[in-house]
Amino acid sequence: MDYISTRGSAPALDFEGATLAGLASDGGLYVPREWPRFSKDEIAGMAGLSYAELAARVMAPFVGQSLTYERLLELTTEAYGRFAHKAVTPLKQLDEQQWVLELFHGPTLAFKDVALQLLGLFFEEFLSRSDRNLTIVGATSGDTGSAAIDAVAGRAKVDIFMLHPHGRVSDVQRRQMTTVLAPNVHNIAIDGSFDDAQAMVKRMFNDTAMTDRFAIGAVNSINWARLMAQVVYYFAAALQLGAPEREVAFSVPTGNFGDVFAGYVAAQMGLPVAKLVVATNVNDILHRALSSGDYSQGTVTPTAAPSMDIQVSSNFERLLFDLGGRDGAAMAEQMKGFEATKAMQLSNAQREGAAALFQSARADQDEMAETIRWAWENCGELIDPHTACGLFAARTAGIDAKTPVVTLATAHPAKFPEAVERSTGHRPSLPARVGDLFDREEKCTKLAGEYDAVAEFVAGLAAPKV
Ligand SMILES: Cc1ncc(COP(=O)(O)O)c(C=O)c1O
Ligand SMILES: N[C@@H](CCOP(=O)(O)O)C(=O)O
């Protein structure tokens, strides 16, 4: 399997190359040249596998020759061995139609661990084959940061620089990043929003003053390996609910469009996905794009679901590329227009293609709060505000009553205790595995939201390429 850029002019790479490269050199995102497809019998044959085995089975076609199947299985076994639940991503029933897929049993309590625990191992494996050092530069609205830091802290040949928007992540999220004192971990709080941070990260990949000296790498969903690992839990959930014989719908709390794009990939691979419901908070660029074709960047409004306070959804480009006939030159033009004007209109092909599988909904603060209360009072479940956006959308999506709807529970409620307590009167406590988070020392550098300041900081501390 090789990987091509959504903007058409970067060289194609194998899985190892795409994992280490992160962003393509033409500014695009890597996608597999074609979608591997499983037959119905092959999908049926996955029922009953352990999570680690299922992960290796689903990912093997994407990994290709970069790892043997046996080595891939060793890595998935190691990564998912660190999860606190035996099922890794357990599925819970809320009522006749609604289910939640708990993706927060990893070390940092959010769905990001599912991919990042594995990505940390891929980096170690691939870097051990050369004398290259990797400088990871990432942006986080709260969860990617801690999961990536946990995955690479203390690892040889890797430095990580993680940008978060100052004052716009929860206390638990911030401390999960800033209390990791390993010498290869560098937290940066910037003035601005997650979108500003993500734009700086993408700029650094194309800044030759940086790329000539450092091998810049990505842990955000810019990195194809992130999305690949997220495809697996769609298979895990659907198999438990009767796939391949029965269709399943998913409702996905969405910001950067990575998690729900993984659902799209699962559908391309043959999983019977009835619908993908894209759930946003009031930062609703994706809801507007999918419901009216208007992908225009609004200003970011801080909400109780801060990890979804995003108005430029990086992975939407991957979907538009696929739906627009995989025309890299046209995609590059479309994205150039968006970058210049902060607005773009979807083509008819893109709108119609998206409508076949996706629908969308937007939850405001009251709807989120009310959904947290509903889940507690009716099902005895404490859910976090991001999951609440998803569940709100799932319950209002009008999916045929015979089709189970699975909401992805993307974060542990204890990451957002104030919002959960306001709605339910119950304050969720942190699981023992995150330990004495509030007693630990913090280390973080505050920088102005200016690219040059960030680049200078990274250049002062990162190890050169070789
Ligand atoms: C808890 C939580 N839920 C949902 C999302 C949205 O996921 P995505 O950015 O993949 O759309 C994020 C951030 O990515 C998150 O941290
Ligand atoms: N919500 C994310 C934002 C970054 O998204 P990513 O999936 O591209 O890493 C976060 O928590 O940081």
Side-chain angles (χ1 to χ4, degrees), residues 307-330:
S307 304
M308 288 159 54
D309 293 347
I310 295 176
Q311 286 279 22
V312 181
S313 293
S314 181
N315 291 289
F316 203 48
E317 179 172 342
R318 284 185 163 115
L319 180 72
L320 297 181
F321 173 70
D322 209 40
L323 297 177
R326 293 192 151 223
D327 179 342

Side-chain angles (χ1 to χ4, degrees), residues 112 139-144 194 220-221 226 256 307 310:
K112 311 286 181 170
T140 185
S141 53
D143 293 319
T144 295
F194 166 79
N220 283 106
S221 53
R226 275 276 313 274
N256 227 2
S307 304
I310 295 176

Side-chain angles (χ1 to χ4, degrees), residues 245-267:
E245 297 303 333
R246 186 189 194 198
E247 286 199 322
V248 178
F250 291 90
S251 179
V252 187
T254 300
N256 227 2
F257 206 76
D259 214 7
V260 75
F261 188 74
Y264 173 80
V265 175

